[in-house]
Amino acid sequence: MRRISPAFIAAMTVMASATAAQSQGMSFGEFEYQNSCVACHGASGKGDGPVTDFLSGAVPPDLTVLQQNNGGVFPVAAVYDIIVGTDTASAHGTRDMPIWGNRFRQRVTESDDGNFSPLATERYVNARVLALTEYLASIQVP
């Protein structure tokens, strides 16, 4: 019996999510945003999500002006680091925002799929965070 590559399984998992997003008429990144970010950052990305009144003094930033606030260049690496959790505080203030890299990794762990190697797990996380980063780049105001 032939063994399926963990990287292949990770790719299929991401593709299934992307297919679900496309069936709803949105990009994979927008799908990730709707599922992970809207509660705090709002549908528009301006920090006006439905749970902001319940946050302990934290004010979610306006995600539509990241490029504007960075001299007209979208800060890809900084946004990626904030989402995945590598940047713990400097650009985002306190770490009130969930560390999505850890949450995405946890989803793989909870799936109890022994075929996910550490490398396949990181590729899975990377694909989700990059899709989300690309979506955030697409909602920047001129």
Side-chain angles (χ1 to χ4, degrees):
M1 186 168 163
R2 192 170 182 188
R3 185 168 165 92
I4 298 175
S5 158
F8 176 77
I9 293 170
M12 291 292 95
T13 303
V14 170
M15 297 259 312
S17 295
T19 302
Q22 287 178 339
S23 71
Q24 295 178 28
M26 62 180 74
S27 70
F28 181 37
E30 183 178 3
F31 180 79
E32 284 295 341
Y33 182 84
Q34 295 296 324
N35 286 299
S36 303
C37 310
V38 163
C40 295
H41 293 284
S44 67
K46 295 190 177 292
D48 56 354
V51 302
T52 56
D53 291 341
F54 304 102
L55 298 176
S56 58
V59 178
D62 180 344
L63 299 177
T64 67
V65 295
L66 299 174
Q67 180 172 310
Q68 191 177 76
N69 294 340
N70 192 50
V73 177
F74 184 76
V76 174
V79 169
Y80 181 94
D81 288 347
I82 289 167
I83 295 168
V84 85
T86 325
D87 181 338
T88 57
S90 63
H92 193 270
T94 62
R95 189 71 227 193
D96 293 321
M97 186 178 101
I99 297 174
W100 289 104
N102 289 347
R103 289 193 177 193
F104 294 149
R105 281 182 202 92
Q106 187 64 35
R107 289 178 188 167
V108 171
T109 303
E110 288 172 358
S111 74
D112 200 27
D113 188 339
N115 291 319
F116 268 89
S117 68
L119 179 60
T121 299
E122 288 310 305
R123 287 180 176 161
Y124 169 79
V125 170
N126 187 47
R128 293 182 80 145
V129 174
L130 285 174
L132 183 51
T133 302
E134 180 180 36
Y135 174 72
L136 293 176
S138 78
I139 64 168
Q140 300 303 295
V141 295

